[in-house]
């Protein structure tokens, strides 16, 4: 609670100062103080690790800029991966392996955002190796690594996009401030929806209890939990991303979008261009493409895709379940490419309408299936849930409460309705006179949003305990 209040206060102060300050040096000083001051409110040890990474990568970058060789690049990659491995993977392995020498590391805390700002540091080194024209000062690089709207959980930024903004001599436009706070409001609303899914309408009837306390599932139960968890993760992480993007925009900064209607995707490939976009594109640019260009054979490109998605999975956590999850999505993407090749060879062009519906249903089913590996607490639990899915007799009953089915169904239908309405509210150039709903949307949308937020708060405040947000903070 203290950190949330501090974040809001610091954000408001920065917005007010940057709206009146055009000097790049002054703007950078304000953002540096705000970013490192906020990070210090968590734990000084976390800040020490971040500052060590900043100094290390700035020195590595200068070394690489003077002589962009593969050996220097690999030294930078190894240094960053060693730091990430020490704090993210060693404690996990120490808890799973009975090796006495590792037990002292099992309680080592994970510095907030280490996965995200380490990837930002790596992208800086990769860009320097490619001889891109980026020459930040130490203050600019330190700000890039710790810019507070995105430090904890992204979106993953890249220095060539951020450096011109840090050096900008423009004050923040009023329209940017308004748009920024609109995004923050949308994000807060979405995170409340995620919290509702995490807690359930009734105590004990939630996605969390369905995975953590239930020991028996039917086929419908597993599908409800799989799709509900995907929805919960989306509302939580996309909501946080809205807040981060909105806070940056209110201060006159643009950071990458992270989600673009992923549940409207009709193929796995489209889904991964809409889900966690900043990380997906990072994996594409710095893992898949360098691997894929090493050989020309098609089998190698497919293998490179599977390797890239496996890295994506292991980035989240060093466990067999996440390895399976990443490999599963790599295989899905390869199968999709194979299907596209078959369509071209057969010169088959399916009817867009019906085929899009079938493709959407199949895509959402396959994506939801993958969330079982992402969320299950153990390989044995995942196997038990998969067994229920494959048992025809299990579809005649359910063990989860009806309230959870109702909650997941209502939120899914509500989100679908929002997507449909928002697409209709976009002004069409060919329409000479927009409808009343479009013309008056700023009159009826805010009261509707306020009513929905009040109802959500009434439900969530009556619950005891709850699930900690942000879910991606643990990665």
């Amino acid at each position: 609670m203290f950190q949330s209040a501090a974040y809001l206060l610091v954000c408001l102060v920065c917005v007010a100062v940057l709206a009146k300050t055009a000097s790049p040096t002054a703007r950078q000083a304000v953002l540096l103080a705000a970013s490192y001051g906020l990070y210090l409110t968590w734990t000084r040890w976390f800040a020490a690790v971040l500052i060590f990474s900043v100094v290390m990568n700035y020195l590595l970058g200068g070394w690489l800029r003077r002589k962009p060789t593969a050996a220097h690049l690999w030294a930078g990659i190894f240094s960053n991966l060693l730091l990430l491995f020490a704090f993210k993977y060693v404690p996990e392995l120490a808890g799973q392996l009975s090796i006495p020498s590792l037990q002292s590391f099992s309680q080592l805390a994970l510095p907030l955002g280490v996965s995200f700002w380490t990837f930002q540091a790596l992208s800086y080194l990769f860009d320097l190796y490619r001889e891109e024209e980026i020459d930040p000062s130490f203050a600019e690089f330190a700000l890039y690594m710790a810019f507070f709207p995105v430090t904890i959980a992204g979106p993953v930024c890249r220095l060539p996009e951020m450096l011109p903004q840090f050096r900008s001599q423009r004050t923040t436009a009023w329209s940017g401030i308004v748009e920024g706070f609109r995004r923050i409001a949308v994000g807060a609303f979405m995170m409340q929806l995620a919290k509702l899914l995490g807690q359930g309408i009734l105590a004990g009837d939630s996605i969390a209890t369905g995975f953590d306390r239930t020991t028996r599932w039917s086929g419908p139960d597993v599908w409800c939990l799989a799709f509900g968890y995907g929805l919960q993760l989306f509302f939580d992480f996309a909501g946080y991303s809205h807040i981060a993007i909105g806070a940056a925009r209110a201060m006159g900064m643009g950071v990458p979008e992270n989600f673009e209607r992923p549940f409207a995707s009709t193929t796995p490939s489209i889904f991964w261009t809409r889900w966690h976009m900043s990380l997906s594109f990072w994996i594409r640019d710095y893992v898949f493409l360098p691997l894929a260009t090493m050989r020309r054979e098609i089998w190698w490109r497919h293998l490179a895709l599977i390797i890239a998605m496996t890295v994506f999975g292991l980035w989240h956590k060093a466990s067999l379940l996440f390895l399976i999850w990443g490999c599963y999505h790599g295989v899905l993407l390869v199968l999709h490419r194979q299907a596209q090749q078959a369509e071209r060879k057969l010169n088959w062009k399916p009817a867009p309408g019906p085929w899009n519906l079938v493709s959407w249903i199949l895509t959402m089913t396959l994506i939801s299936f993958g969330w079982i590996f992402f969320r299950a607490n153990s390989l044995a639990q995942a196997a038990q849930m998969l067994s229920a899915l494959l048992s025809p007799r299990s579809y005649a009953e359910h063990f989860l409460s009806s309230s959870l089915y109702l909650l997941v169904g209502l939120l899914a239908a509500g989100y679908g309705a929002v997507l449909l309405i928002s697409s209709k509210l976009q002004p069409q150039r060919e329409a000479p006179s927009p409808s009343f709903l479009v013309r008056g949307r700023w009159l009826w949308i805010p009261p509707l949003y306020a009513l929905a937020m009040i109802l959500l708060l009434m439900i969530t405040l009556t619950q005891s305990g709850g699930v900690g947000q942000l879910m991606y903070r643990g990665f």
Side-chain angles (χ1 to χ4, degrees):
M1 181 63 73
F2 170 75
Q3 281 81 10
S4 299
Y7 183 98
L8 179 60
L9 178 61
V10 168
C11 183
L12 290 173
V13 170
C14 287
V15 169
V17 172
L18 297 184
K20 300 294 184 180
T21 305
S23 167
T25 303
R27 292 168 69 88
Q28 290 176 24
V30 169
L31 290 174
L32 269 171
S35 298
Y36 284 90
L38 269 180
Y39 204 80
L40 279 167
T41 63
W42 293 97
T43 302
R44 291 181 180 179
W45 170 244
F46 290 176
V49 177
L50 173 58
I51 292 171
F52 173 80
S53 179
V54 169
V55 174
M56 178 185 74
N57 281 287
Y58 187 73
L59 294 175
L60 286 168
W63 188 37
L64 191 60
R65 186 183 301 106
R66 290 189 297 271
K67 195 173 182 181
T69 65
H72 290 177
L73 175 63
W74 277 109
I77 294 173
F78 178 78
S79 300
N80 279 280
L81 292 183
L82 184 63
L83 183 70
L84 185 62
F85 187 82
F87 288 99
K88 183 167 183 172
Y89 299 117
V90 169
E92 180 72 23
L93 294 173
Q96 296 177 5
L97 303 175
S98 56
I99 301 176
S101 60
L102 289 179
Q103 295 311 304
S104 58
F105 295 97
S106 61
Q107 302 302 318
L108 192 62
L110 179 69
L112 285 171
V114 62
S115 301
F116 293 90
W117 41 260
T118 298
F119 269 33
Q120 291 196 169
L122 284 170
S123 71
Y124 167 64
L125 299 180
F126 286 134
D127 290 341
L128 285 176
Y129 178 70
R130 295 172 177 177
E131 301 187 42
E132 291 201 23
E133 294 295 328
I134 43 176
D135 187 17
S137 66
F138 180 76
E140 290 168 338
F141 184 72
L143 177 56
Y144 163 69
M145 289 284 285
F147 184 46
F148 76 86
V150 302
T151 308
I152 295 176
V156 180
C157 301
R158 304 189 191 186
L159 192 53
E161 299 167 356
M162 300 302 295
L163 197 55
Q165 300 184 73
F166 294 156
R167 295 174 175 175
S168 173
Q169 298 184 17
R170 293 180 299 177
T171 57
T172 309
W174 175 248
S175 60
I177 296 174
V178 172
E179 173 62 14
F181 280 103
R182 185 193 71 81
R183 294 289 294 266
I184 291 173
V186 170
F189 180 64
M190 292 178 72
M191 292 188 78
Q192 284 298 317
L193 293 177
K195 188 176 182 181
L196 182 60
L197 278 166
Q199 294 180 161
I201 299 174
L202 304 174
D205 295 337
S206 66
I207 299 296
T209 55
F211 277 101
D212 298 336
R213 298 181 187 176
T214 306
T215 57
R216 189 181 179 190
W217 303 272
S218 67
D221 290 339
V222 177
W223 285 120
C224 177
L225 289 174
F227 184 77
Y229 178 73
L231 202 61
Q232 181 193 7
L233 190 61
F234 167 71
F235 283 140
D236 184 77
F237 194 25
Y240 165 81
S241 296
H242 272 295
I243 292 174
I245 294 167
R249 187 163 298 179
M251 292 183 283
M253 304 286 178
V255 298
E257 292 291 341
N258 232 8
F259 292 86
E260 182 59 42
R261 303 184 179 189
F263 287 104
S265 305
T266 54
T267 69
S269 296
I270 294 175
F271 179 85
W272 283 114
T273 61
R274 297 181 175 187
W275 179 280
H276 204 345
M277 295 155 61
S278 64
L279 183 58
S280 295
F281 296 155
W282 194 101
I283 295 290
R284 179 198 65 189
D285 294 342
Y286 299 119
V287 180
F288 169 68
L289 289 178
L291 280 175
T293 54
M294 291 174 64
R295 299 177 65 100
R296 300 182 62 181
E297 295 89 343
I298 190 65
W299 67 266
W300 174 254
R301 289 179 174 269
H302 291 162
L303 180 60
L305 192 51
I306 294 174
I307 292 173
M309 292 306 296
T310 302
V311 169
F312 200 128
L314 291 176
W315 173 87
H316 290 84
K317 195 174 183 180
S319 74
L320 183 57
L321 283 171
F322 280 95
L323 186 148
I324 293 172
W325 178 78
C327 187
Y328 167 77
H329 278 286
V331 171
L332 276 187
L333 292 173
V334 169
L335 291 176
H336 176 239
R337 289 191 171 194
Q338 295 286 75
Q340 289 179 314
Q341 290 176 5
E343 287 181 14
R344 287 192 291 267
K345 287 181 180 179
L346 297 173
N347 196 24
W348 180 56
K349 295 182 180 179
W355 180 248
N356 283 345
L357 177 61
V358 172
S359 183
W360 173 76
I361 293 173
L362 181 60
T363 299
M364 289 300 101
T365 300
L366 294 171
I367 296 296
S368 298
F369 180 85
W371 294 128
I372 297 171
F373 302 107
F374 195 95
R375 178 58 177 84
N377 296 305
S378 66
L379 191 60
Q381 184 187 41
Q384 187 180 351
M385 298 179 85
L386 296 181
S387 177
L389 284 181
L390 298 175
S391 173
R393 286 189 295 181
S394 75
Y395 285 81
E397 55 186 348
H398 69 88
F399 303 102
L400 298 178
S401 69
S402 299
S403 68
L404 183 58
Y405 279 90
L406 178 64
L407 177 61
V408 172
L410 286 176
L411 289 183
Y415 178 62
V418 168
L419 290 183
L420 181 62
I421 292 172
S422 62
S423 66
K424 298 297 183 183
L425 289 180
Q426 297 298 323
Q428 302 294 322
R429 292 183 179 180
E430 64 271 13
S433 58
S435 67
F436 170 75
L437 287 178
V438 176
R439 294 197 309 271
R441 62 187 181 277
W442 298 115
L443 297 176
W444 64 268
I445 288 181
L448 189 63
Y449 169 82
L451 176 62
M453 183 62 95
I454 290 170
L455 291 174
L456 266 178
L457 288 174
M458 289 175 62
I459 294 172
T460 54
L461 289 175
T462 57
Q463 299 288 335
S464 59
V467 176
Q469 314 289 308
L470 156 79
M471 295 163 70
Y472 248 74
R473 184 179 295 167
F475 300 125

